[in-house]
Amino acid sequence: MVVGLAVAQLTDVVAAQLVSPEFIGDHLDHLGVPPTLRRLLSPIKATSSAGLLLGLLVPELGAVTAVGLIGYYGIAVGFHLRTHDSPVSAVPAALLGAAAAAALKKRFLPALAA
């Protein structure tokens, strides 16, 4: 699960580079994401991927990364709901946040308790 979430994060970073900047800009405009946050989205996803993978060796790092992703995706769901998007639009973010919570509970917290 941890590796899958890390791959999903990196895939999103790569996909963002392949999609037209206008499309992404329009989407983020619609969601009301401030410009100061926009430039942080890809670095957050890339570094969280590394944090998850390194967390397999250093559970404290994995736990902190998973908690950060839970917050990140919770905020993403909030942006979708605040703009009155169809709830279906928030499902990918909700699923990724749930995957981060599951990774925290099933992989990182037990490793910290050991």
Side-chain angles (χ1 to χ4, degrees):
M1 174 181 305
V2 171
V3 173
L5 182 56
V7 168
Q9 295 294 100
L10 284 178
T11 301
D12 198 16
V13 171
V14 171
Q17 301 306 309
L18 300 175
V19 176
S20 78
E22 294 81 21
F23 175 81
I24 292 174
D26 289 347
H27 180 66
L28 295 175
D29 284 344
H30 165 73
L31 293 175
V33 177
T36 54
L37 291 179
R38 293 178 190 197
R39 64 177 163 260
L40 299 175
L41 299 179
S42 288
I44 287 169
K45 291 174 186 174
T47 56
S48 67
S49 180
L52 290 168
L53 294 175
L54 290 171
L56 295 172
L57 300 172
V58 183
E60 295 85 357
L61 178 60
V64 168
T65 302
V67 168
L69 283 173
I70 293 165
Y72 177 90
Y73 284 112
I75 291 168
V77 167
F79 271 102
H80 283 284
L81 297 179
R82 188 184 63 160
T83 58
H84 305 292
D85 276 349
S86 163
V88 173
S89 298
V91 167
L95 290 175
L96 289 166
L104 178 65
K105 182 179 180 191
K106 294 182 182 274
R107 176 64 174 93
F108 299 122
L109 291 181
L112 292 175

